[in-house]
Amino acid sequence: QVQLVESGGGLVQAGGSLRLSCAASGSIFSPAPMGWYRQAPGKQRELVAGITSGGRTNYVLSVKGRFTISRDSAENTVYLQMNSLRPEDTAVYYCYADGRYGSKYWGQGTQVTVSS
């Protein structure tokens, strides 16, 4: 069984910063490909940022230059540093981890609210 525990969401004013953390534990190899999706009300879930086992990163265009994904491989923990936040970044952010044979694991979600 795999668990992903997220932390770090909250309420922030536009232009502010937040840092999300996600720790993976259980029967998952390390370092696993991990990252973050988000889902805003009435919208589809979208991939925000991902990091491969080798450390390559990718971002959705709307967050490039503002968000940074990083990891602590020893702890199988991934971070999302979010700077210059905008109201349109408001969403529930979900951590994911890719396991073997196409499996995908999800965190419980953490709310990020950016006020204008």
Side-chain angles (χ1 to χ4, degrees):
Q1 192 166 348
V2 176
Q3 283 190 320
L4 300 180
V5 178
E6 303 164 1
S7 62
L11 172 65
V12 66
Q13 288 189 329
S17 298
L18 284 173
R19 188 190 195 212
L20 306 182
S21 300
C22 175
S25 61
S27 301
I28 190 167
F29 67 95
S30 176
M34 297 179 70
W36 299 87
Y37 278 74
R38 68 185 178 187
Q39 188 165 21
K43 294 189 177 181
Q44 287 189 329
R45 189 177 292 195
E46 69 170 350
L47 176 63
V48 177
I51 186 165
T52 68
S53 297
R56 284 186 301 172
T57 60
N58 63 283
Y59 299 92
V60 67
L61 184 60
S62 60
V63 309
K64 279 187 177 180
R66 301 189 296 123
F67 291 10
T68 302
I69 189 169
S70 61
R71 71 183 311 150
D72 180 337
S73 296
E75 298 293 330
N76 228 9
T77 298
V78 67
Y79 306 96
L80 186 67
Q81 178 66 44
M82 305 185 294
N83 298 328
S84 302
L85 282 161
R86 304 167 180 170
E88 54 263 40
D89 295 317
T90 295
V92 178
Y93 284 69
Y94 296 92
C95 172
Y96 75 88
D98 290 331
R100 299 186 192 279
Y101 314 117
S103 57
K104 203 173 199 77
Y105 304 96
W106 295 96
Q108 78 279 9
T110 186
Q111 178 70 46
V112 171
T113 303
V114 185
S115 63
S116 56

